[in-house]
Amino acid sequence: MVSSAALAVAVAAATATAAAGVAMHKPSASLADALLCPPPKFGQVEPSVFRAAFPRSESLAHLRLLGLRTALNLSRELPAQDVLAWFEAQGVRVAHLGIAVWTHPSVAPISAELVNAALSAVLDREQHPLLLLSASGTHEVGTIVGCLRRLQQWSLSGAIDEYRSFAAPTPRLSCEQFIETWDPDLAPPPRAHPPPWFESQHALLESDAEAWRRMPCCDAEEAARLREYFRVSGALCSPGVATTLVAEDAVAD
């Protein structure tokens, strides 16, 4: 008959073995915490397109989960050297667009050249998964995302609200004005391989526009309203933008 002391030793050994087995198949607490530590201002813009401020070393484990192929640095500054070394080790191509288009100290940090260069990469699925970066993750990144939303025919209020949600409590009026006055017609054409989400959204918009064009209009005012809806990205655009575009159309006609 097994003594109570021997039984207690056997139970303790079995418990220790089981605990060791669980530990082998379960990430450590520190690793689990690292996986749940994204960079500041992190968010998903669209499938395989992400945004963030410059990551810190504790955020790299989380970024590894994204399987990044491209990182676009929209700032005039560089991320930390250990972060750049990590990108290189992971095979992530880093494009310093903010520095590339900065030709003079008087040049604004956000320009049409920066927007077009960034959107050209965002609309090329060969460069995805892609991460949009800037020092703060708010103003340069937020303006690029705002222009993308305009290209996707979001209402102006929706694009500005998204910008403010990341830029709070210090949104910049200059960034909001850039988003508002940026002309989607000047955007670079999609590459040969646009992302699936862009193709599907464009197809839906074209379907809606065609259905609206086939609807009988009551009068000239209703026809003008429908035309403005698809030309100005929705009725929630500011009167200044709507008036400018309508005036240009009148001259062209």
Side-chain angles (χ1 to χ4, degrees), residues 20-21 23 31 43 74 90-91 106 122 135 137 145 152-153 164 187 195 199 206 214 224 230 232-233 250:
L31 176 59
L74 307 174
Q90 296 296 314
S106 62
V122 169
V145 173
Q152 294 175 288
Q153 299 197 31
R164 290 176 178 173
E199 289 184 308
E206 285 296 319
R214 292 180 180 179
F230 287 100
V232 193
S233 304

Side-chain angles (χ1 to χ4, degrees), residues 24-243:
M24 292 177 60
H25 298 283
K26 183 178 180 180
S28 64
S30 59
L31 176 59
D33 292 342
L35 295 177
L36 297 176
C37 182
K41 302 293 183 177
F42 178 79
Q44 180 172 339
V45 180
E46 293 288 350
S48 295
V49 179
F50 307 91
R51 60 178 293 169
F54 283 170
R56 297 186 289 264
S57 56
E58 59 266 25
S59 302
L60 300 181
H62 181 86
L63 290 183
R64 186 181 291 111
L65 299 176
L66 305 181
L68 294 173
R69 182 177 295 178
T70 308
L72 302 182
N73 176 21
L74 307 174
S75 291
R76 297 175 178 180
E77 306 97 51
L78 293 175
Q81 286 299 319
D82 60 332
V83 173
L84 292 175
W86 182 87
F87 279 134
E88 182 178 2
Q90 296 296 314
V92 179
R93 184 182 73 88
V94 181
H96 299 290
L97 299 183
I99 298 175
V101 304
W102 184 38
T103 57
H104 191 272
S106 62
V107 175
I110 301 173
S111 62
E113 291 79 9
L114 178 65
V115 172
N116 288 343
L119 290 182
S120 180
V122 169
L123 297 179
D124 181 10
R125 69 183 178 195
E126 296 296 321
Q127 301 194 46
H128 294 179
L130 180 144
L131 178 65
L132 295 169
L133 288 172
S134 68
S136 66
T138 55
H139 307 301
E140 289 90 348
V141 171
T143 302
I144 298 300
V145 173
C147 292
L148 173 64
R149 300 314 188 194
R150 293 288 310 282
L151 189 61
Q152 294 175 288
Q153 299 197 31
W154 279 35
S155 68
L156 179 63
S157 64
I160 295 297
D161 183 69
E162 183 181 32
Y163 165 76
R164 290 176 178 173
S165 68
F166 282 89
T170 57
R172 292 179 181 173
L173 181 59
S174 59
C175 295
E176 297 181 9
Q177 289 177 332
F178 191 101
I179 295 171
E180 179 178 4
T181 58
W182 181 75
D183 187 356
D185 290 338
L186 301 180
R191 297 296 185 91
H193 304 286
W197 51 263
F198 186 80
E199 289 184 308
S200 62
Q201 291 170 3
H202 183 72
L204 287 173
L205 288 169
E206 285 296 319
S207 176
D208 286 347
E210 181 61 26
W212 281 47
R213 281 192 291 265
R214 292 180 180 179
M215 292 175 60
C217 295
C218 300
D219 50 31
E221 182 179 352
E222 177 68 9
R225 188 182 72 81
L226 296 182
R227 178 167 169 269
E228 180 180 319
Y229 179 86
F230 287 100
R231 291 278 306 196
V232 193
S233 304
L236 294 179
C237 268
S238 72
V241 173
T243 301

